[in-house]
Amino acid sequence: MKKILLAGGMGYIGSHTVIEVINAGYEPIIVDNLSNSKIEVLDSIEKITGTRPLFYEVDVCNMKDLEKVFEENRDIEVVIHFAGFKAVGESVLEPLKYYENNLISTFNLLEVMQKYHCNKFIFSSSATVYAVSKVMPLCENFPLGASNPYGRTKLFNEQILEDYQKANPSFNVILLRYFNPIGAHESGLIGEDPNGIPNNLMPYICQVATGKLDHLNVFGNDYDTKDGTGVRDYIHVVDLAIGHVKALDKLVREENVGLKVYNLGTGTGYSVLDIVNTFNKVNGNLVNYQIAKRRPGDIATCYASSQKAYDELGFKATKTLEEMCKSSYEFQKRKEA
Ligand code: WQD
């Protein structure tokens, strides 16, 4: 079986991708420093798939430790890079921590891949690389321009990879721009499990639903949207994981991919109140909310065109908003049981 290294493979998106990588017949190798994930995820992956992936508790920013992984696994076919910090608010307070971690991790991976002749790379990018746009849906050729240090690390990574691929034409890169991943694996064994008070909407709603938090603050209802609340492109994390396997298949199947970039979204925007109402409909009326003031840095509307991913990868998100809300809550309940 072809070996796939998943840097950050114990995290929310990484762990769901490990499962789909196994389902697709590849052999995953996980590298993760557990700074934003738990070792129990490995047991969950084994319970779900019957396979216990090879796991190295390694910080990708530590070149010596990273090189050991490649020394012991000489035939890694593709590297998928999830290993990055991702809290927008935290990145504003601690920019150097974000630039060091999110950039050095990429530099190290590229260097060690070159040394061990591995030339296929998938990068976890984000919708935050797009400049503010009145025109929706966002297409891959729209203007770029990040508005916070976290988003800039993603944009800088994209540009570094573009320069590197131009200088090394035999190196092949796929950039995947995520929109708003939510939901959890149907087993309820893995899901979004942020440390501390959640920044993102769905994990916050789930903690209100279980009573861990009192109510949801809806950050503004005076945006220029159908109900005044923010609109985003929510995609089920399992659909997102399958999108990674589609990209993986392309790199394995084709020789000279070069550098390609794809949005992974659904093409549909939902408002905050759509999420709350759908969550309450499928899980029982568990979430109450108050309208609060806007969160600095938020934009009114953001959703993707994923036509290019459909045309070139055969990717299409299939899971419904109801499934996203139900699976998120199932995971939260199991976690707190
Ligand atoms: C969604 C909507 C909020 C919390 C972030 C990152 C982005 C990407 C996805 C990685 C907005 C509203 C939220 C709350 C609320 N991550 N909201 N009350 O900001 O679209 O994107 O996650 O790539 O990089 O920036 O996601 O879930 O924080 O917010 O009203 O308690 O929910 O205003 O409209 P966001 P989010």
Side-chain angles (χ1 to χ4, degrees), residues 86 88 125-128 150 178-181 199-202 204 216-219 230-232 234 272 295 298-299:
K86 62 173 184 175
V88 171
S125 192
S126 165
T128 44
Y150 160 76
Y178 308 161
F179 280 70
N180 288 61
N199 296 300
N200 292 136
L201 179 66
M202 184 54 86
Y204 199 103
L216 170 71
N217 294 303
V218 174
F219 297 145
V231 169
R232 297 291 185 275
Y234 296 94
V272 177
R295 179 171 64 177
D298 272 356
I299 56 175

PDB file of all heavy atoms in Angstrom, residues 86 88 125-128 150 178-181 199-202 204 216-219 230-232 234 272 295 298-299, ligand 1:
ATOM      1  N   LYS A  86      -4.534  27.525  14.330  1.00  0.00           N
ATOM      2  CA  LYS A  86      -5.610  28.004  13.443  1.00  0.00           C
ATOM      3  C   LYS A  86      -6.635  28.916  14.120  1.00  0.00           C
ATOM      4  O   LYS A  86      -7.748  29.091  13.602  1.00  0.00           O
ATOM      5  CB  LYS A  86      -6.333  26.803  12.848  1.00  0.00           C
ATOM      6  CG  LYS A  86      -7.007  25.924  13.856  1.00  0.00           C
ATOM      7  CD  LYS A  86      -7.843  24.853  13.161  1.00  0.00           C
ATOM      8  CE  LYS A  86      -8.609  24.013  14.174  1.00  0.00           C
ATOM      9  NZ  LYS A  86      -9.506  23.061  13.532  1.00  0.00           N
ATOM     10  N   VAL A  88      -7.898  32.435  14.792  1.00  0.00           N
ATOM     11  CA  VAL A  88      -7.700  33.803  14.271  1.00  0.00           C
ATOM     12  C   VAL A  88      -7.401  34.771  15.414  1.00  0.00           C
ATOM     13  O   VAL A  88      -6.412  35.507  15.389  1.00  0.00           O
ATOM     14  CB  VAL A  88      -8.960  34.242  13.500  1.00  0.00           C
ATOM     15  CG1 VAL A  88      -8.892  35.709  13.140  1.00  0.00           C
ATOM     16  CG2 VAL A  88      -9.142  33.393  12.255  1.00  0.00           C
ATOM     17  N   SER A 125      -5.086  24.742   3.228  1.00  0.00           N
ATOM     18  CA  SER A 125      -5.213  26.194   3.192  1.00  0.00           C
ATOM     19  C   SER A 125      -6.629  26.586   3.625  1.00  0.00           C
ATOM     20  O   SER A 125      -7.350  25.780   4.211  1.00  0.00           O
ATOM     21  CB  SER A 125      -4.879  26.736   1.793  1.00  0.00           C
ATOM     22  OG  SER A 125      -4.743  28.142   1.858  1.00  0.00           O
ATOM     23  N   SER A 126      -6.987  27.835   3.375  1.00  0.00           N
ATOM     24  CA  SER A 126      -8.213  28.340   3.999  1.00  0.00           C
ATOM     25  C   SER A 126      -8.863  29.440   3.176  1.00  0.00           C
ATOM     26  O   SER A 126      -8.195  30.165   2.436  1.00  0.00           O
ATOM     27  CB  SER A 126      -7.840  28.911   5.378  1.00  0.00           C
ATOM     28  OG  SER A 126      -8.875  29.701   5.893  1.00  0.00           O
ATOM     29  N   ALA A 127     -10.148  29.589   3.367  1.00  0.00           N
ATOM     30  CA  ALA A 127     -10.897  30.668   2.703  1.00  0.00           C
ATOM     31  C   ALA A 127     -10.417  32.035   3.166  1.00  0.00           C
ATOM     32  O   ALA A 127     -10.666  33.050   2.512  1.00  0.00           O
ATOM     33  CB  ALA A 127     -12.380  30.513   3.032  1.00  0.00           C
ATOM     34  N   THR A 128      -9.690  32.052   4.283  1.00  0.00           N
ATOM     35  CA  THR A 128      -9.228  33.357   4.798  1.00  0.00           C
ATOM     36  C   THR A 128      -8.145  33.967   3.917  1.00  0.00           C
ATOM     37  O   THR A 128      -7.730  35.090   4.142  1.00  0.00           O
ATOM     38  CB  THR A 128      -8.637  33.232   6.212  1.00  0.00           C
ATOM     39  OG1 THR A 128      -7.805  32.089   6.263  1.00  0.00           O
ATOM     40  CG2 THR A 128      -9.705  33.158   7.257  1.00  0.00           C
ATOM     41  N   TYR A 150      -3.103  34.756  11.200  1.00  0.00           N
ATOM     42  CA  TYR A 150      -3.398  33.345  10.847  1.00  0.00           C
ATOM     43  C   TYR A 150      -3.616  33.223   9.342  1.00  0.00           C
ATOM     44  O   TYR A 150      -2.968  32.414   8.668  1.00  0.00           O
ATOM     45  CB  TYR A 150      -4.640  32.839  11.592  1.00  0.00           C
ATOM     46  CG  TYR A 150      -5.238  31.634  10.916  1.00  0.00           C
ATOM     47  CD1 TYR A 150      -4.647  30.382  11.046  1.00  0.00           C
ATOM     48  CD2 TYR A 150      -6.368  31.749  10.095  1.00  0.00           C
ATOM     49  CE1 TYR A 150      -5.154  29.280  10.381  1.00  0.00           C
ATOM     50  CE2 TYR A 150      -6.889  30.648   9.433  1.00  0.00           C
ATOM     51  CZ  TYR A 150      -6.277  29.420   9.578  1.00  0.00           C
ATOM     52  OH  TYR A 150      -6.782  28.333   8.909  1.00  0.00           O
ATOM     53  N   TYR A 178     -10.147  25.464   2.606  1.00  0.00           N
ATOM     54  CA  TYR A 178     -11.336  25.011   3.344  1.00  0.00           C
ATOM     55  C   TYR A 178     -12.230  26.205   3.628  1.00  0.00           C
ATOM     56  O   TYR A 178     -11.738  27.287   3.934  1.00  0.00           O
ATOM     57  CB  TYR A 178     -10.973  24.437   4.712  1.00  0.00           C
ATOM     58  CG  TYR A 178      -9.917  23.388   4.752  1.00  0.00           C
ATOM     59  CD1 TYR A 178      -9.265  23.124   5.943  1.00  0.00           C
ATOM     60  CD2 TYR A 178      -9.550  22.646   3.632  1.00  0.00           C
ATOM     61  CE1 TYR A 178      -8.290  22.152   6.042  1.00  0.00           C
ATOM     62  CE2 TYR A 178      -8.576  21.673   3.704  1.00  0.00           C
ATOM     63  CZ  TYR A 178      -7.940  21.430   4.918  1.00  0.00           C
ATOM     64  OH  TYR A 178      -6.969  20.476   5.004  1.00  0.00           O
ATOM     65  N   PHE A 179     -13.514  25.965   3.672  1.00  0.00           N
ATOM     66  CA  PHE A 179     -14.435  27.006   4.119  1.00  0.00           C
ATOM     67  C   PHE A 179     -14.747  26.711   5.583  1.00  0.00           C
ATOM     68  O   PHE A 179     -13.797  26.704   6.399  1.00  0.00           O
ATOM     69  CB  PHE A 179     -15.602  27.109   3.131  1.00  0.00           C
ATOM     70  CG  PHE A 179     -15.136  27.927   1.951  1.00  0.00           C
ATOM     71  CD1 PHE A 179     -14.189  27.394   1.073  1.00  0.00           C
ATOM     72  CD2 PHE A 179     -15.528  29.237   1.774  1.00  0.00           C
ATOM     73  CE1 PHE A 179     -13.679  28.150   0.013  1.00  0.00           C
ATOM     74  CE2 PHE A 179     -15.036  29.991   0.709  1.00  0.00           C
ATOM     75  CZ  PHE A 179     -14.114  29.458  -0.161  1.00  0.00           C
ATOM     76  N   ASN A 180     -15.975  26.395   5.959  1.00  0.00           N
ATOM     77  CA  ASN A 180     -16.212  26.208   7.401  1.00  0.00           C
ATOM     78  C   ASN A 180     -16.522  24.759   7.728  1.00  0.00           C
ATOM     79  O   ASN A 180     -17.682  24.343   7.662  1.00  0.00           O
ATOM     80  CB  ASN A 180     -17.343  27.135   7.863  1.00  0.00           C
ATOM     81  CG  ASN A 180     -16.878  28.580   7.883  1.00  0.00           C
ATOM     82  OD1 ASN A 180     -16.498  29.132   6.837  1.00  0.00           O
ATOM     83  ND2 ASN A 180     -16.870  29.179   9.057  1.00  0.00           N
ATOM     84  N   PRO A 181     -15.521  23.974   8.079  1.00  0.00           N
ATOM     85  CA  PRO A 181     -15.744  22.555   8.371  1.00  0.00           C
ATOM     86  C   PRO A 181     -16.486  22.389   9.689  1.00  0.00           C
ATOM     87  O   PRO A 181     -16.088  22.996  10.699  1.00  0.00           O
ATOM     88  CB  PRO A 181     -14.326  21.974   8.475  1.00  0.00           C
ATOM     89  CG  PRO A 181     -13.399  23.038   8.039  1.00  0.00           C
ATOM     90  CD  PRO A 181     -14.104  24.345   8.188  1.00  0.00           C
ATOM     91  N   ASN A 199     -13.851  29.114  19.790  1.00  0.00           N
ATOM     92  CA  ASN A 199     -13.987  30.341  18.998  1.00  0.00           C
ATOM     93  C   ASN A 199     -15.050  30.167  17.916  1.00  0.00           C
ATOM     94  O   ASN A 199     -15.785  31.069  17.596  1.00  0.00           O
ATOM     95  CB  ASN A 199     -12.662  30.662  18.263  1.00  0.00           C
ATOM     96  CG  ASN A 199     -11.542  30.966  19.231  1.00  0.00           C
ATOM     97  OD1 ASN A 199     -11.635  31.904  20.008  1.00  0.00           O
ATOM     98  ND2 ASN A 199     -10.496  30.150  19.215  1.00  0.00           N
ATOM     99  N   ASN A 200     -15.071  28.935  17.355  1.00  0.00           N
ATOM    100  CA  ASN A 200     -15.938  28.715  16.196  1.00  0.00           C
ATOM    101  C   ASN A 200     -17.381  28.410  16.604  1.00  0.00           C
ATOM    102  O   ASN A 200     -17.651  27.917  17.700  1.00  0.00           O
ATOM    103  CB  ASN A 200     -15.378  27.568  15.335  1.00  0.00           C
ATOM    104  CG  ASN A 200     -14.055  27.940  14.668  1.00  0.00           C
ATOM    105  OD1 ASN A 200     -13.137  27.155  14.665  1.00  0.00           O
ATOM    106  ND2 ASN A 200     -13.956  29.143  14.108  1.00  0.00           N
ATOM    107  N   LEU A 201     -18.291  28.675  15.685  1.00  0.00           N
ATOM    108  CA  LEU A 201     -19.730  28.625  15.963  1.00  0.00           C
ATOM    109  C   LEU A 201     -20.218  27.251  16.415  1.00  0.00           C
ATOM    110  O   LEU A 201     -20.838  27.123  17.484  1.00  0.00           O
ATOM    111  CB  LEU A 201     -20.514  29.066  14.721  1.00  0.00           C
ATOM    112  CG  LEU A 201     -22.040  29.031  14.862  1.00  0.00           C
ATOM    113  CD1 LEU A 201     -22.508  30.075  15.885  1.00  0.00           C
ATOM    114  CD2 LEU A 201     -22.700  29.278  13.512  1.00  0.00           C
ATOM    115  N   MET A 202     -19.933  26.202  15.637  1.00  0.00           N
ATOM    116  CA  MET A 202     -20.568  24.916  15.940  1.00  0.00           C
ATOM    117  C   MET A 202     -20.103  24.314  17.280  1.00  0.00           C
ATOM    118  O   MET A 202     -20.945  23.876  18.078  1.00  0.00           O
ATOM    119  CB  MET A 202     -20.353  23.925  14.796  1.00  0.00           C
ATOM    120  CG  MET A 202     -21.068  22.604  14.997  1.00  0.00           C
ATOM    121  SD  MET A 202     -22.837  22.772  15.327  1.00  0.00           S
ATOM    122  CE  MET A 202     -23.469  22.827  13.663  1.00  0.00           C
ATOM    123  N   TYR A 204     -19.189  25.857  19.817  1.00  0.00           N
ATOM    124  CA  TYR A 204     -19.799  26.689  20.860  1.00  0.00           C
ATOM    125  C   TYR A 204     -21.272  26.297  21.044  1.00  0.00           C
ATOM    126  O   TYR A 204     -21.749  26.050  22.166  1.00  0.00           O
ATOM    127  CB  TYR A 204     -19.680  28.181  20.510  1.00  0.00           C
ATOM    128  CG  TYR A 204     -19.873  29.095  21.707  1.00  0.00           C
ATOM    129  CD1 TYR A 204     -18.786  29.692  22.328  1.00  0.00           C
ATOM    130  CD2 TYR A 204     -21.141  29.332  22.234  1.00  0.00           C
ATOM    131  CE1 TYR A 204     -18.952  30.505  23.445  1.00  0.00           C
ATOM    132  CE2 TYR A 204     -21.321  30.137  23.347  1.00  0.00           C
ATOM    133  CZ  TYR A 204     -20.222  30.720  23.949  1.00  0.00           C
ATOM    134  OH  TYR A 204     -20.383  31.514  25.060  1.00  0.00           O
ATOM    135  N   LEU A 216     -25.742  31.068  23.413  1.00  0.00           N
ATOM    136  CA  LEU A 216     -24.908  31.494  22.279  1.00  0.00           C
ATOM    137  C   LEU A 216     -25.028  33.006  22.113  1.00  0.00           C
ATOM    138  O   LEU A 216     -26.129  33.555  22.228  1.00  0.00           O
ATOM    139  CB  LEU A 216     -25.388  30.813  20.987  1.00  0.00           C
ATOM    140  CG  LEU A 216     -24.756  31.341  19.686  1.00  0.00           C
ATOM    141  CD1 LEU A 216     -23.282  30.905  19.587  1.00  0.00           C
ATOM    142  CD2 LEU A 216     -25.546  30.861  18.479  1.00  0.00           C
ATOM    143  N   ASN A 217     -23.907  33.662  21.907  1.00  0.00           N
ATOM    144  CA  ASN A 217     -23.923  35.075  21.504  1.00  0.00           C
ATOM    145  C   ASN A 217     -23.836  35.118  19.985  1.00  0.00           C
ATOM    146  O   ASN A 217     -22.858  34.614  19.417  1.00  0.00           O
ATOM    147  CB  ASN A 217     -22.732  35.825  22.113  1.00  0.00           C
ATOM    148  CG  ASN A 217     -22.840  35.910  23.624  1.00  0.00           C
ATOM    149  OD1 ASN A 217     -23.833  36.420  24.151  1.00  0.00           O
ATOM    150  ND2 ASN A 217     -21.838  35.373  24.317  1.00  0.00           N
ATOM    151  N   VAL A 218     -24.862  35.669  19.374  1.00  0.00           N
ATOM    152  CA  VAL A 218     -24.844  35.816  17.917  1.00  0.00           C
ATOM    153  C   VAL A 218     -24.154  37.136  17.609  1.00  0.00           C
ATOM    154  O   VAL A 218     -24.653  38.207  17.988  1.00  0.00           O
ATOM    155  CB  VAL A 218     -26.279  35.792  17.347  1.00  0.00           C
ATOM    156  CG1 VAL A 218     -26.257  36.090  15.839  1.00  0.00           C
ATOM    157  CG2 VAL A 218     -26.929  34.441  17.636  1.00  0.00           C
ATOM    158  N   PHE A 219     -23.004  37.050  16.972  1.00  0.00           N
ATOM    159  CA  PHE A 219     -22.174  38.246  16.776  1.00  0.00           C
ATOM    160  C   PHE A 219     -22.723  39.134  15.665  1.00  0.00           C
ATOM    161  O   PHE A 219     -22.234  39.138  14.536  1.00  0.00           O
ATOM    162  CB  PHE A 219     -20.734  37.849  16.455  1.00  0.00           C
ATOM    163  CG  PHE A 219     -20.036  37.107  17.553  1.00  0.00           C
ATOM    164  CD1 PHE A 219     -19.115  36.106  17.256  1.00  0.00           C
ATOM    165  CD2 PHE A 219     -20.285  37.399  18.889  1.00  0.00           C
ATOM    166  CE1 PHE A 219     -18.446  35.406  18.267  1.00  0.00           C
ATOM    167  CE2 PHE A 219     -19.632  36.702  19.910  1.00  0.00           C
ATOM    168  CZ  PHE A 219     -18.713  35.713  19.597  1.00  0.00           C
ATOM    169  N   GLY A 230     -24.253  36.543  10.080  1.00  0.00           N
ATOM    170  CA  GLY A 230     -23.182  36.166   9.149  1.00  0.00           C
ATOM    171  C   GLY A 230     -23.501  34.896   8.369  1.00  0.00           C
ATOM    172  O   GLY A 230     -24.065  33.951   8.929  1.00  0.00           O
ATOM    173  N   VAL A 231     -23.119  34.900   7.104  1.00  0.00           N
ATOM    174  CA  VAL A 231     -23.360  33.757   6.219  1.00  0.00           C
ATOM    175  C   VAL A 231     -22.021  33.105   5.866  1.00  0.00           C
ATOM    176  O   VAL A 231     -21.075  33.786   5.467  1.00  0.00           O
ATOM    177  CB  VAL A 231     -24.096  34.212   4.933  1.00  0.00           C
ATOM    178  CG1 VAL A 231     -24.121  33.103   3.885  1.00  0.00           C
ATOM    179  CG2 VAL A 231     -25.511  34.671   5.279  1.00  0.00           C
ATOM    180  N   ARG A 232     -21.964  31.762   6.022  1.00  0.00           N
ATOM    181  CA  ARG A 232     -20.735  31.027   5.723  1.00  0.00           C
ATOM    182  C   ARG A 232     -21.058  29.743   4.966  1.00  0.00           C
ATOM    183  O   ARG A 232     -22.201  29.283   4.974  1.00  0.00           O
ATOM    184  CB  ARG A 232     -20.022  30.643   7.040  1.00  0.00           C
ATOM    185  CG  ARG A 232     -19.552  31.829   7.875  1.00  0.00           C
ATOM    186  CD  ARG A 232     -18.420  32.572   7.224  1.00  0.00           C
ATOM    187  NE  ARG A 232     -17.885  33.628   8.073  1.00  0.00           N
ATOM    188  CZ  ARG A 232     -18.386  34.857   8.149  1.00  0.00           C
ATOM    189  NH1 ARG A 232     -19.447  35.184   7.414  1.00  0.00           N
ATOM    190  NH2 ARG A 232     -17.818  35.762   8.925  1.00  0.00           N
ATOM    191  N   TYR A 234     -20.727  26.124   5.202  1.00  0.00           N
ATOM    192  CA  TYR A 234     -20.430  25.036   6.145  1.00  0.00           C
ATOM    193  C   TYR A 234     -20.351  23.722   5.372  1.00  0.00           C
ATOM    194  O   TYR A 234     -21.277  23.377   4.638  1.00  0.00           O
ATOM    195  CB  TYR A 234     -21.502  24.977   7.239  1.00  0.00           C
ATOM    196  CG  TYR A 234     -21.522  26.217   8.083  1.00  0.00           C
ATOM    197  CD1 TYR A 234     -22.369  27.269   7.790  1.00  0.00           C
ATOM    198  CD2 TYR A 234     -20.641  26.373   9.152  1.00  0.00           C
ATOM    199  CE1 TYR A 234     -22.363  28.441   8.543  1.00  0.00           C
ATOM    200  CE2 TYR A 234     -20.631  27.531   9.909  1.00  0.00           C
ATOM    201  CZ  TYR A 234     -21.487  28.569   9.602  1.00  0.00           C
ATOM    202  OH  TYR A 234     -21.471  29.731  10.338  1.00  0.00           O
ATOM    203  N   VAL A 272     -26.004  32.328  10.558  1.00  0.00           N
ATOM    204  CA  VAL A 272     -25.877  31.831  11.942  1.00  0.00           C
ATOM    205  C   VAL A 272     -27.243  31.316  12.408  1.00  0.00           C
ATOM    206  O   VAL A 272     -27.340  30.241  13.007  1.00  0.00           O
ATOM    207  CB  VAL A 272     -25.367  32.950  12.876  1.00  0.00           C
ATOM    208  CG1 VAL A 272     -25.312  32.474  14.315  1.00  0.00           C
ATOM    209  CG2 VAL A 272     -23.988  33.434  12.426  1.00  0.00           C
ATOM    210  N   ARG A 295     -18.324  40.721  15.947  1.00  0.00           N
ATOM    211  CA  ARG A 295     -16.955  40.339  16.340  1.00  0.00           C
ATOM    212  C   ARG A 295     -15.991  41.028  15.387  1.00  0.00           C
ATOM    213  O   ARG A 295     -16.149  40.931  14.168  1.00  0.00           O
ATOM    214  CB  ARG A 295     -16.799  38.823  16.238  1.00  0.00           C
ATOM    215  CG  ARG A 295     -15.440  38.274  16.582  1.00  0.00           C
ATOM    216  CD  ARG A 295     -15.435  36.766  16.660  1.00  0.00           C
ATOM    217  NE  ARG A 295     -15.735  36.163  15.355  1.00  0.00           N
ATOM    218  CZ  ARG A 295     -15.739  34.842  15.149  1.00  0.00           C
ATOM    219  NH1 ARG A 295     -15.493  33.995  16.133  1.00  0.00           N
ATOM    220  NH2 ARG A 295     -16.010  34.357  13.944  1.00  0.00           N
ATOM    221  N   ASP A 298     -14.887  40.073  11.508  1.00  0.00           N
ATOM    222  CA  ASP A 298     -15.860  39.226  10.793  1.00  0.00           C
ATOM    223  C   ASP A 298     -16.346  39.924   9.522  1.00  0.00           C
ATOM    224  O   ASP A 298     -16.456  41.147   9.494  1.00  0.00           O
ATOM    225  CB  ASP A 298     -17.073  38.946  11.681  1.00  0.00           C
ATOM    226  CG  ASP A 298     -16.853  37.715  12.554  1.00  0.00           C
ATOM    227  OD1 ASP A 298     -15.810  37.075  12.393  1.00  0.00           O
ATOM    228  OD2 ASP A 298     -17.713  37.415  13.388  1.00  0.00           O
ATOM    229  N   ILE A 299     -16.672  39.105   8.533  1.00  0.00           N
ATOM    230  CA  ILE A 299     -17.275  39.653   7.308  1.00  0.00           C
ATOM    231  C   ILE A 299     -18.709  39.141   7.230  1.00  0.00           C
ATOM    232  O   ILE A 299     -19.068  38.187   7.918  1.00  0.00           O
ATOM    233  CB  ILE A 299     -16.480  39.215   6.044  1.00  0.00           C
ATOM    234  CG1 ILE A 299     -16.365  37.692   5.960  1.00  0.00           C
ATOM    235  CG2 ILE A 299     -15.097  39.864   6.048  1.00  0.00           C
ATOM    236  CD1 ILE A 299     -15.710  37.188   4.679  1.00  0.00           C
TER     237      ILE A 299
HETATM  238  C1  WQD B   1     -18.927  31.566  11.760  1.00  0.00           C
HETATM  239  C2  WQD B   1     -20.065  32.566  11.925  1.00  0.00           C
HETATM  240  C3  WQD B   1     -19.503  34.454  13.297  1.00  0.00           C
HETATM  241  C4  WQD B   1     -19.090  32.153  17.032  1.00  0.00           C
HETATM  242  C5  WQD B   1     -13.132  30.660  11.051  1.00  0.00           C
HETATM  243  C6  WQD B   1     -11.741  30.954  10.679  1.00  0.00           C
HETATM  244  C7  WQD B   1     -11.434  30.404   9.317  1.00  0.00           C
HETATM  245  C8  WQD B   1     -11.817  28.955   9.224  1.00  0.00           C
HETATM  246  C9  WQD B   1     -13.220  28.688   9.733  1.00  0.00           C
HETATM  247  C10 WQD B   1      -9.765  27.704   9.351  1.00  0.00           C
HETATM  248  C11 WQD B   1     -19.595  34.008  11.833  1.00  0.00           C
HETATM  249  C12 WQD B   1     -20.613  33.615  13.948  1.00  0.00           C
HETATM  250  C13 WQD B   1     -19.287  32.503  15.712  1.00  0.00           C
HETATM  251  C14 WQD B   1     -19.999  32.604  18.022  1.00  0.00           C
HETATM  252  C15 WQD B   1     -21.276  33.726  16.321  1.00  0.00           C
HETATM  253  N1  WQD B   1     -10.889  28.168   9.951  1.00  0.00           N
HETATM  254  N2  WQD B   1     -20.365  33.277  15.359  1.00  0.00           N
HETATM  255  N3  WQD B   1     -21.067  33.377  17.624  1.00  0.00           N
HETATM  256  O1  WQD B   1     -15.040  33.130  11.498  1.00  0.00           O
HETATM  257  O2  WQD B   1     -16.222  32.077   9.489  1.00  0.00           O
HETATM  258  O3  WQD B   1     -13.995  31.265  10.131  1.00  0.00           O
HETATM  259  O4  WQD B   1     -13.322  29.265  11.025  1.00  0.00           O
HETATM  260  O5  WQD B   1      -9.366  27.843   8.243  1.00  0.00           O
HETATM  261  O6  WQD B   1     -10.059  30.568   9.133  1.00  0.00           O
HETATM  262  O7  WQD B   1     -11.621  32.362  10.627  1.00  0.00           O
HETATM  263  O8  WQD B   1     -15.942  30.764  11.596  1.00  0.00           O
HETATM  264  O9  WQD B   1     -17.250  29.557  13.271  1.00  0.00           O
HETATM  265  O10 WQD B   1     -15.828  31.510  14.040  1.00  0.00           O
HETATM  266  O11 WQD B   1     -17.900  31.936  12.693  1.00  0.00           O
HETATM  267  O12 WQD B   1     -22.249  34.426  15.992  1.00  0.00           O
HETATM  268  O13 WQD B   1     -19.872  32.328  19.253  1.00  0.00           O
HETATM  269  O14 WQD B   1     -20.632  32.407  13.219  1.00  0.00           O
HETATM  270  O15 WQD B   1     -19.773  35.843  13.448  1.00  0.00           O
HETATM  271  O16 WQD B   1     -20.613  34.753  11.177  1.00  0.00           O
HETATM  272  P1  WQD B   1     -15.350  31.935  10.666  1.00  0.00           P
HETATM  273  P2  WQD B   1     -16.703  30.906  12.991  1.00  0.00           P
END
